[in-house]
Amino acid sequence: MPERKPRKDAARNREAVLAAADALFARRESPEDVTMADVAAAAGVGKGTLFRAFGDRAGLLRALYEARMEPIRQAVEAGPPPLGPATPPRDRVPALLDAVLCFKLDNRRLALALEEGGSGSPYRAEHYERWHGLLRAVLEQVPGLTDSGFTAHALLAATRADLVEHLAGDEYIPREAMRAQLANFVTGVLASSPHEG
C-alpha cells in the first residue's frame, strides 16, 4: 500500500511550528525557557496538534535540528569537497568537524537543548550516532590510524554543545579563533598516524 502523504494543512502546520520554535530558541536566553505551550501559541496551533506531530519536546527539538542540519547532510552525502565523499580522508575529517562546530555556533541554544534534553546517554542519540559513524568510517581510511571509533568520540567531544557554549559564552573565544583551534587539534590527532608513501 502506498504511503499516505500528509495533508497540506498538516504540512503547513509543521512548517509553522518549526519556524515558531526556531524563532523562540533564537530569542530566549535559556533553551529551557521554551515550552511546548509557547511554541503552539507562536505557531497558531493547538497543543494537541503539536504533540501529534512531534510527540514531545525532544521530538520537536530533533525535528528542528534535522531541518536546520539538512543542507550539511546533503553536502556530506553527495556534495563536492571538502565535505563530500570524494574528499581525501585527511582533508575531510577537519572539514566535517568544522561543519559540526559552525552548526553548533550558529544554533547554540538548540544544540544545547538537544544535547541536554531527554533521558539516557547523549552518545546514543540518533544525531550523535550518525556523526560518530560517519567520522569513524572516514577515519578508518586514514593509513596507520588505530581505533577509529575512540578517535571519532574524542574528536566529537571537542564540538559538544556545552563546551561550545562555554568557549563562546564564558571564555569569549571568537568564532574564527575557535575554528582555528579545532583545526589545529584535529591536525595534531591525524598527524599521530603515519602518512602513506
Side-chain angles (χ1 to χ4, degrees):
M1 189 154 104
E3 190 177 309
R4 271 181 43 190
K5 283 190 167 183
R7 293 188 342 241
K8 282 186 182 174
D9 59 337
R12 201 168 31 249
N13 283 347
R14 183 179 176 82
E15 292 306 312
V17 166
L18 290 175
D22 206 10
L24 286 169
F25 276 108
R27 285 197 308 265
R28 299 282 170 88
E29 189 60 34
S30 166
E32 293 308 313
D33 292 344
V34 179
T35 68
M36 292 291 268
D38 293 336
V39 174
V45 301
K47 276 177 43 176
T49 299
L50 194 58
F51 283 101
R52 276 192 302 279
F54 300 100
D56 57 13
R57 185 174 187 274
L60 173 61
L61 290 172
R62 283 191 301 273
L64 184 55
Y65 181 94
E66 291 300 327
R68 287 186 181 179
M69 183 60 80
E70 182 62 19
I72 296 172
R73 189 187 64 74
Q74 288 179 4
V76 166
E77 288 179 1
L83 291 178
T87 311
R90 286 185 188 273
D91 297 330
R92 194 174 187 206
V93 170
L96 291 170
L97 288 157
D98 184 63
V100 173
L101 176 63
C102 288
F103 179 84
K104 290 187 179 180
L105 284 167
D106 293 339
N107 299 279
R108 283 168 55 186
R109 291 182 181 99
L110 173 63
L112 204 54
L114 187 64
E115 288 184 15
E116 289 179 346
S119 58
S121 170
Y123 304 105
R124 289 199 172 91
E126 184 180 339
H127 64 276
Y128 183 86
E129 288 182 343
R130 191 177 317 130
W131 277 110
H132 181 264
L134 172 65
L135 264 178
R136 186 185 65 237
V138 177
L139 287 165
E140 284 171 354
Q141 300 168 27
V142 175
L145 185 72
T146 58
D147 203 350
S148 59
F150 175 81
T151 304
H153 282 303
L155 291 172
L156 283 170
T159 66
R160 276 189 51 93
D162 53 357
L163 177 61
V164 170
E165 183 64 24
H166 173 73
L167 295 175
D170 297 339
E171 295 199 12
Y172 305 109
I173 297 177
R175 178 189 187 95
E176 292 310 311
M178 204 181 309
R179 292 178 70 195
Q181 289 168 347
L182 178 62
N184 288 339
F185 174 64
V186 176
T187 300
V189 170
L190 294 179
S192 68
S193 65
H195 287 261
E196 278 185 310

